[in-house]
Each structure stands twice: as C-alpha cells, then as structure tokens.
Amino acid sequence: MTFQTAHILPGTLDDLAGEVSADESDESIPVDAPFTGERIGDVPACAPSDVTAAVARARTAQGEWSSWSVNRRADVLLRCHDLVLDRQDELLDVMGLESGKVRQDGYEEVLDVATNARYYATRAEELLRPRRRDGAIPLATKTIEYRKPVGVVGVIAPWNYPLTLAVSDAIPALLAGNAVVLKPAEETPFSALLVAKLLREAGLPADAFRVVTGRGDEVGPALIDAVDFVSFTGSTETGRTVAERAGENLVKCSLELGGKNPMVVLDDADVAAAVEGAIRGCFTNAGQLCLSFERLYVQDGVYDEFRRTFAERTRELSMAPSLDYDVEVGSLVSERQFEKVREHVADAVDEGATVVAGGNARPDVGPYFFEPTILTDVTEEMTLAREETFGPVVSLSGFSEEEEGIALANDSDRGLNASVWTTDTDRGWRIARGIDCGTVGINDPYHATWASVDAPMGGMKDSGIGRRHGREGMRKYTESQTVAEQRVASLAPPRRVPTKWYARAMSGVMRLYKRIEEAR
C-alpha cells in the first residue's frame, strides 16, 4: 500500500469482524481500501435469522438499559465523548482505510459524534422530563405527558460518513432508553464496529448496541421487520422502499435521503469567501456528502470573477491516497460510484457541457480517483442536471434577478441543503427563507447548520421525512403517554341533570375559557 495506518494494530480489523454474531451464515463480505482497491478484511454476511437474533438480544438488554436513570445513561455517553476524542487517530485511520476519505474530512465525523454525545447527554433529562399539560378543567384535571422509549431502534447507515451516520443518530436513541441494532454499509463496516467497542468501554451494556453486517437486500428487510423504529440515511429510491416496508409493519421511520443541493452567490457577495465556501461545499469527501452542492448559481455582477477564481482554486486542490491532514481530496468509495461519476460527466460533455476545471479520472493516483470538476452550459436533458451525482462535480450557471436565483434553487424535486452568499444580512435571510430546503446556510456551506445541533436538520420534498438533531432528534425515538387524573367534578353529565341543561352550561363554560385564553 502507498499509505500508512500508524494507529491500527495488526489484527484489529479481524478482531472487530469477530464481534459480529453470524451463527446462521458461513459467508463473508470482502472490504476493500478505495485508495488502492486492495482487500483489507472481511465481515460476516449475516442471514435474516442472525438479524432476528440480534434484535432479540437487544430487546432483552433494552429492559435493563431503560431502567437506568437518565443521568446514569448520560454518564455513559459522556465517557464515549471522551473516548472518541482520545482514540480519534485510530478512528480516523479506520475511516480513511475503508472509505477513502482524507483525514481532514474524517475529523469532521469525530467532531460530530463528540458534539452529539455532549449535547444529548447534557440535555437528555430536560428533553425527557415529564411535562405538566393543561387539563380539561383547570384545577380539576391534572394532566402529565410522559416520554417512553419505543424499544429497539434499527439504524441503516450509508458508506459516505461511516462514523457520523452510524453513531450520531444512535446517541439520542440510546439516551431515550432504547436499544439499537445498526446495519452499516457493506463498504464501511469497521468504523461502526470500532465505535460499538468504544460504547462498551464507556459502560453501555453489550447487547444494547448490536451491529449486523451483511448485504442490504437481505439484512435490511429483516431488520425493518424486527425493530420498533427505523432510522435510514441513503438514496431517495431506497428510502421509498424502506418507508413502504416500515409502513406495512406500522413502524415509524425517519429518512434522510438524497439531495441536489443549490448554492446561490449574489452580486454583493465577497467573492473570495464564496469561492472557499464552494470548495468546501462541493468537494468535501470528494463530493460524497448528502449536503454538498451540485448546482451553483452566481448572479451576473460577479459571475465572471467567481468562475475564474473558482476554477483556479479547484485546479489547485491536492489529491492523494493519504491519511495525512494536508491532503484535500480523497477517493470515491468504489468502482460503482466511480463509474456513476464518470458516466454523468461524459454524458454532459457529449450533450454540450463545457469543462471549466477537472473532468478526468486519475488512475495515476488511485483506481477510483476523479478530479474535482466544474461544468458550465449544463442543460435539462443531461443526466447530472437532475440526478444526484454524489461525486466531486458541480454545474455552474449565471442568473440576473434575485427572484430568478430563488426559482433556480427551488427547481428540483429535492430539498435538503442550500447556501446563500451575500454581504447584506437582511438580503441573505430573506432569500434563505424563500428556498425550499430543510437547512440553508448564509455565507457558510453546511458547517453552521449541521453543527447547530440544538436545531432540527432534515429534508423537504423528496429529500426525506423526519428530523435529526435538537428536540425532534430525540423525541422521535419515544412514544408520548398522557396520564390524566380527574380530581373533582366530571366531564360527563351529572346524574339527574337533564342533558339539555348540561349542554347549555358547558357551552357557557367554553365561552368563558375562550375569553380567558384570549386574555393571556
């Protein structure tokens, strides 16, 4: 290999694979290093019966785990916070090795897991606390809302952020008193297995967080059939299938799906800052980021300057099969993803798109490397105009008026993330509010919205249902229970009182309640 994994001891990956319980299958799935295409290990190909057994073990463990106080559970996640930071080099090596991402992109995942662990651990008691609600009759009715864990949560995670998307969603589920069974992507199972080990070291009961490895079309359906809630991150197409199966089982689900995200640069923007934002927003993780921009719209007044500067900066980006911090662009994850990116670019060029920067595969660097690419003259009939490329490729177009920029940003059946660049704060907030995306950054690509973990994050339109982060990110893993005590009187008509009189009296009471509420 042309890179070093200084923090992974020999045999570590084999030891991690050995923690998967796969009693019903002798098959295994090879895991390759995208930097070189070489095999780095194997994990069991779990059978549906293995999934059922893992969920049964998790369900047993959940009974004990949910009996712990919220503060005791929080202590476990705070210890996990420290372990993730302490063991970050090992985590970064494993992530880079199996996903092909460069170290600076992997470090964002370390920060994210630690941030979510700290946020939910320090707020879980408040978010889960029983809450007094207005009773049916003031003073006469005492009503309290309780939050109960749903049971066992199934998390189906993708390969592009193998630490964040495997663990950050599991953290609030665990703190709410649930057990979790995680199905990581076939390409990137070791990051999930390593963090499962860290959770146990932090004090989590062993079976409260189980990992099942295997092929999605076999393990996924079995998991959905067995759990009480499904959290899925992935493509819109697969998300529809997950939602359909969850619906058949009357199991709630949260889905963060694909995007075709726009970035809008206004004519009063700081061009240098906007270019750097575009570099981060388009090419982080080689474009394999659900929040990354694939459509870039620049207002006429700064279009030429932005186009020139963005192209120059893109050509300067460093690419290498390296786990060092100073490399800016890593590999695509697999041959399948590489071919998708290559085909999208080739189709666009054949149909008349102009390559401003990049546009080429780089087999001299590694088997799945593709240059960061900027295309202009992209038209609707081109595949990449509508489909999510999920690679280091962005289309660049100009526009004249604000309303046109907003319309272009909204011209998609997806609405996950967007960004607006301007030096006029009021203008930025006004345009951001007009864009139909679940998150919109002003003078920031995605870091500010994603890292604001007290606020919900998710998609509009075909980009998903449900939210992660904030109050919604924990409460979705709970069932609300309302308990009401009628202390005096009754809402039913008293005996020996004619119903007609009761109806008149209650109508008067309702009018009184209205006046009281209006006066508040």
Side-chain angles (χ1 to χ4, degrees):
M1 292 187 182
T2 58
F3 58 94
Q4 300 296 318
T5 54
H7 304 92
I8 304 177
L9 297 174
T12 294
L13 299 185
D14 290 339
D15 291 342
L16 292 173
E19 297 193 12
V20 180
S21 298
D23 298 332
E24 301 297 325
S25 175
D26 295 328
E27 293 186 58
S28 62
I29 296 174
V31 181
D32 298 334
F35 283 157
T36 63
E38 297 176 7
R39 180 178 296 191
I40 57 173
D42 300 87
V43 293
C46 290
S49 56
D50 294 316
V51 177
T52 303
V55 173
R57 292 173 64 177
R59 198 172 297 284
T60 299
Q62 191 265 333
E64 176 197 352
W65 173 244
S66 64
S67 72
W68 291 18
S69 70
V70 175
N71 286 334
R72 186 181 175 192
R73 295 198 295 264
D75 287 342
V76 172
L77 272 299
L78 289 174
R79 287 194 292 271
C80 179
H81 167 281
D82 294 343
L83 283 170
V84 166
L85 295 179
D86 292 344
R87 304 273 286 278
Q88 61 181 271
D89 284 323
E90 184 180 354
L91 286 164
L92 289 167
D93 276 4
V94 172
M95 276 191 284
L97 187 63
E98 67 179 357
S99 74
K101 69 172 62 203
V102 296
R103 207 167 193 81
Q104 60 180 270
D105 295 342
Y107 185 66
E108 288 187 0
E109 297 200 54
V110 170
L111 286 180
D112 182 71
V113 173
T115 298
N116 275 274
R118 185 202 70 240
Y119 171 79
Y120 282 112
T122 56
R123 288 167 174 79
E125 186 176 29
E126 173 193 350
L127 295 175
L128 298 171
R129 178 185 299 133
R131 295 182 181 273
R132 186 74 176 262
R133 299 299 186 185
D134 290 344
I137 300 176
L139 302 179
T141 309
K142 177 182 178 181
T143 303
I144 297 179
E145 175 194 3
Y146 295 93
R147 289 280 166 177
K148 301 169 69 70
V150 295
V152 178
V153 173
V155 176
I156 302 175
W159 44 261
N160 60 321
Y161 278 72
L163 186 65
T164 284
L165 297 177
V167 184
S168 290
D169 276 343
I171 286 170
L174 290 167
L175 278 164
N178 301 287
V180 172
V181 177
L182 166 68
K183 191 276 176 197
E186 294 97 307
E187 297 89 344
T188 55
F190 292 117
S191 298
L193 288 165
L194 178 54
V195 82
K197 180 180 178 182
L198 297 185
L199 281 166
R200 288 198 305 276
E201 289 182 26
L204 185 73
D207 288 333
F209 187 90
R210 302 293 306 172
V211 180
V212 289
T213 55
R215 298 177 179 86
D217 57 354
E218 296 179 7
V219 173
L223 186 61
I224 297 169
D225 289 345
V227 298
D228 305 302
F229 187 101
V230 179
S231 177
F232 171 81
T233 304
S235 70
T236 297
E237 294 72 25
T238 304
R240 295 184 192 279
T241 302
V242 171
E244 182 179 4
R245 186 126 189 169
E248 291 174 355
N249 292 320
L250 294 180
V251 169
K252 290 185 291 185
C253 62
S254 178
L255 312 172
E256 193 216 273
L257 309 179
K260 193 68 179 174
N261 304 312
M263 174 173 164
V264 179
V265 181
L266 302 175
D267 55 8
D268 65 345
D270 179 331
V271 172
V275 165
E276 289 306 309
I279 291 293
R280 295 298 298 169
C282 299
F283 304 132
T284 289
N285 202 35
Q288 299 167 119
L289 168 63
C290 56
L291 303 176
S292 66
F293 304 126
E294 297 193 2
R295 299 181 292 136
L296 218 169
Y297 303 110
V298 182
Q299 199 163 11
D300 291 342
V302 294
Y303 178 84
D304 290 339
E305 180 185 359
F306 182 93
R307 179 182 182 275
R308 181 182 65 256
T309 308
F310 185 37
E312 291 172 354
R313 181 71 177 87
T314 298
R315 296 188 195 103
E316 294 172 354
L317 292 172
S318 58
M319 300 177 66
S322 170
L323 297 178
D324 295 332
Y325 274 108
D326 56 355
V327 178
E328 295 171 291
V329 181
S331 174
L332 295 167
V333 73
S334 64
E335 181 179 7
R336 178 181 177 183
Q337 193 63 25
F338 171 82
E339 287 299 326
K340 180 180 180 182
V341 172
R342 187 189 62 78
E343 289 169 5
H344 278 204
V345 173
D347 171 77
V349 172
D350 288 345
E351 294 292 334
T354 300
V355 177
V356 176
N360 298 304
R362 292 295 303 274
D364 57 310
V365 181
Y368 312 135
F369 279 81
F370 199 94
E371 292 176 334
T373 299
I374 306 169
L375 300 174
T376 58
D377 306 312
V378 172
T379 54
E380 290 298 305
E381 68 272 10
M382 299 175 187
T383 303
L384 66 75
R386 290 290 175 184
E387 291 186 17
E388 186 178 30
T389 303
F390 219 60
V393 180
V394 62
S395 65
L396 173 62
S397 306
F399 69 92
S400 299
E401 304 298 329
E402 282 185 11
E403 294 75 13
E404 181 187 1
I406 295 172
L408 288 168
N410 288 335
D411 186 21
S412 173
D413 58 2
R414 310 191 184 191
L416 188 59
N417 182 53
S419 184
V420 178
W421 293 77
T422 175
T423 54
D424 185 333
T425 296
D426 292 339
R427 190 184 188 195
W429 281 89
R430 183 180 68 252
I431 292 175
R433 292 290 304 278
I435 296 176
D436 298 330
C437 287
T439 53
V440 183
I442 300 174
N443 296 330
D444 185 86
Y446 64 86
H447 303 86
T449 48
W450 179 269
S452 297
V453 294
D454 191 44
M457 181 271 160
M460 296 182 180
K461 300 186 278 192
D462 288 354
S463 287
I465 56 176
R467 292 292 185 267
R468 56 165 53 100
H469 294 169
R471 184 181 303 272
E472 290 92 335
M474 172 169 279
R475 291 195 170 185
K476 69 183 180 182
Y477 295 124
T478 66
E479 298 281 10
S480 63
Q481 180 188 48
T482 298
V483 178
E485 174 192 3
Q486 193 63 28
R487 293 169 163 176
V488 295
S490 173
L491 294 176
R495 292 184 62 190
R496 300 186 182 89
V497 174
T499 304
K500 183 178 181 179
W501 293 3
Y502 169 80
R504 289 177 179 173
M506 287 302 296
S507 295
V509 171
M510 294 297 289
R511 292 186 177 94
L512 175 61
Y513 284 171
K514 178 188 175 186
R515 289 197 294 271
I516 293 172
E517 292 291 341
E518 288 174 339
R520 283 188 174 182

